[in-house]
Structures are given as structure tokens and as C-alpha cells.
Amino acid sequence: MPALDHVTDSVSPALATTGAVTEIPASASCFEIEGLSLAYGDTPALSNLTLRIPRQRVTAFIGPSGCGKTTLLRALNRLHDLNEEVRRGGHIHLEGQEIHAPEVEVAELRRRVGMVFQTPNPFPMSIYENVAFGLRLQMSLKKRQRDEVIEWALRSAALWDEVKDRLHDSAWSLSGGQQQRLVIARTLAVQPEVLLLDEPASALDPISTLKIEELIRSLKSRLTLILVTHNMQQAARVSDYTAFLNGGELVEYAATDALFTNPRLAQTENYITGRMG
């Protein structure tokens, strides 16, 4: 299945640094976030965030609970549209296009920018039908073509060998880790450009967590991944870039190795060393 076989530049983009924020070149960016602010009613959640997220890399958002990580993640495919109390300012561009422009279809945006949540959410149907769900809605495929895409998506999610003989069993018969990989396969089947991951392994056992982390590393050759995690070790293991948020503000943003070994700000160092919760 040729889907997602985008060309990957194996060389990291040339970087510049302004204060504590690494500037990704526009030509290497998937998302460009400019002056993004967001509030739930009168309660501010994000304040004047500006950063670029590199294409076909793994970017981690870290920070204490309530700092705005998940709020920012959800803003990238307009999930906040479902909440009438949300007020937003600033701009988010995906491959140069403002995602809130009138001509942007939200359903198509969410196909391009898929999301996997903290708790696995397979549908109450078979393994096969879970992966086929989005395909049936968005693509007109013959059964043979659909079967090929489903196999490809399950292989891409490192699940095919575990379920190939039980595709018509209930998805709920899978373990928690398998369910999460099934959800990732379901998302990959519709060929997204970006995969948003909101603490995808926080509810899983160590072995399942390892498989999810291996999957994240393997997928970055095909698409952009953006990960929210409370696990510092996980961010260090799987991400190429890390953004540290606190109080709804972007504190520091850099290549992961640099941020964890030589943070520019004391606030960042205090957080990653556990002196700040």
C-alpha cells in the first residue's frame, strides 16, 4: 500500500534560536502557530503561543497538569469547535493554510490531522470494521482494495501478526495495548499527514508502552507526530523536539537532546529534574 510513503529528509532542518525558543524554518514546518491564545469562558488556557512544528518529526509537549498541553493539541485539528464557551485568538497554519479559514472543511482537516486519545476507544464492532470505519465514510473502495488498506494499516500499527486470524472478532476482545494500536491503525487507514497523540500509553502496562513507543519512532518516516506526555523519560526516548509549557505559556522549545541535557532556563531545568511539579 503506497499511502503515507512521503519523502523524508534525513537531515534535521537548520535551526536558529531566539531566547528560549528554537525557530524551525518555515520550509521544514508542518504547523505554524502564531500568537495563539485560547480561553474556556473567562478562564485562560493558552497565552500568545508562537512556534513551528517540524514536518515528519516527533514533537513532544511537556509540562505540569493544567499547563495547556492537551488544549494546544486539540486546537491543531479544531476539536475546540465543539465547545461553544471556547474563545480563540491568533493563527494556526497547516502546510501554509490557516485551518480556521472559511474554505477549510473541518471533516477533511480531521482526516489530515488524526488524533489518538489517552484511553483506547475502539468502536463496538469487529477489528476489521473498526479499521474500515473511516474508509467507508471517506473513500469508495472495492472490497479487495479495502482489504489491502486494512492489512496495510494494521501492519503499520504493528498489529497485523497478532490479529490477522481474528479480524472478525470484537475489538473489545483485545488487550488495552492492542486496542490502542487498533485505534492508531484506524486513524492511519484514512492517510493522515499528522498524528496527534494525547498520552497514548499512560493507561498501558510497560510492555504495551514499549510497543507504542516503537510504533511512534517507526511512523515518523511517514508523517508528523505530536505527543503530549507527562513522562519525561518517554519524551526523551521518542521525540526529536520538545516544547515545555507552563501556565498556558511556551517556556522553552528546543531539540529534545538539548532541552533535556542543557536547558536554557532554570524553570525548565526545575521541571525536568522534578523540583517543580
Side-chain angles (χ1 to χ4, degrees):
M1 177 67 189
L4 291 181
D5 287 342
H6 306 312
V7 175
T8 301
D9 179 2
S10 60
V11 179
S12 294
L15 305 177
T17 299
T18 302
V21 176
T22 293
E23 295 184 0
I24 308 294
S27 60
S29 300
C30 174
F31 275 109
E32 294 188 61
I33 301 166
E34 302 172 4
L36 178 65
S37 296
L38 191 144
Y40 297 100
D42 295 327
T43 304
L46 298 174
S47 177
N48 196 31
L49 265 64
T50 296
L51 71 157
R52 290 173 176 156
I53 296 174
R55 187 183 300 112
Q56 290 178 251
R57 298 290 187 269
V58 181
T59 299
F61 296 158
I62 65 171
S65 296
C67 72
K69 304 183 299 295
T70 294
T71 295
L72 175 55
L73 197 73
R74 287 170 172 261
L76 298 179
N77 70 351
R78 293 180 54 176
L79 281 182
H80 296 299
D81 288 10
L82 305 174
N83 187 339
E84 295 180 356
E85 295 185 356
V86 167
R87 295 183 293 110
R88 176 194 52 81
H91 300 279
I92 303 173
H93 292 88
L94 172 62
E95 300 294 354
Q97 182 180 35
E98 166 60 60
I99 68 170
H100 295 92
E103 66 271 18
V104 172
E105 296 183 4
V106 177
E108 173 61 12
L109 173 67
R110 291 179 186 153
R111 184 201 64 77
R112 295 177 65 192
V113 185
M115 185 157 181
V116 175
F117 297 92
Q118 180 176 1
T119 302
N121 60 341
F123 300 145
M125 53 184 67
S126 71
I127 295 166
Y128 180 98
E129 288 300 332
N130 262 269
V131 184
F133 187 84
L135 293 173
R136 294 187 190 280
L137 290 177
Q138 300 185 28
M139 302 178 187
S140 178
L141 297 176
K142 295 180 179 179
K143 185 179 185 303
R144 180 179 176 182
Q145 293 173 309
R146 186 168 62 247
D147 289 348
E148 290 175 351
V149 174
I150 288 170
E151 178 177 345
W152 168 83
L154 288 167
R155 287 188 183 277
S156 298
L159 190 58
W160 174 254
D161 289 340
E162 298 170 41
V163 302
K164 61 184 179 182
D165 297 323
R166 48 187 297 207
L167 292 176
H168 300 290
D169 289 358
S170 169
W172 289 356
S173 68
L174 299 175
S175 69
Q178 289 174 323
Q179 288 185 15
Q180 192 67 299
R181 282 181 284 145
L182 176 64
V183 171
I184 292 172
R186 186 176 69 198
T187 306
L188 293 177
V190 296
Q191 303 177 40
E193 300 166 34
V194 182
L195 189 59
L196 309 177
L197 300 156
D198 189 5
E199 298 191 65
S202 64
L204 304 180
D205 62 83
I207 293 176
S208 296
T209 295
L210 180 61
K211 289 183 178 181
I212 293 293
E213 291 182 2
E214 291 173 347
L215 177 56
I216 290 171
R217 285 190 290 265
S218 71
L219 288 174
K220 74 175 182 180
S221 65
R222 309 178 189 179
L223 71 167
T224 302
L225 296 103
I226 306 173
L227 168 72
V228 163
T229 181
H230 280 289
N231 186 322
M232 297 300 97
Q233 291 77 21
Q234 183 174 82
R237 285 192 297 266
V238 305
S239 69
D240 301 292
Y241 296 88
T242 298
F244 170 46
L245 281 71
N246 193 27
E249 298 181 349
L250 178 63
V251 178
E252 188 164 341
Y253 179 43
T256 296
D257 288 347
L259 187 138
F260 278 95
T261 60
N262 189 28
R264 302 181 196 120
L265 299 180
Q267 186 180 167
T268 309
E269 183 175 3
N270 290 338
Y271 180 72
I272 63 178
T273 57
R275 292 195 293 269
M276 167 188 155

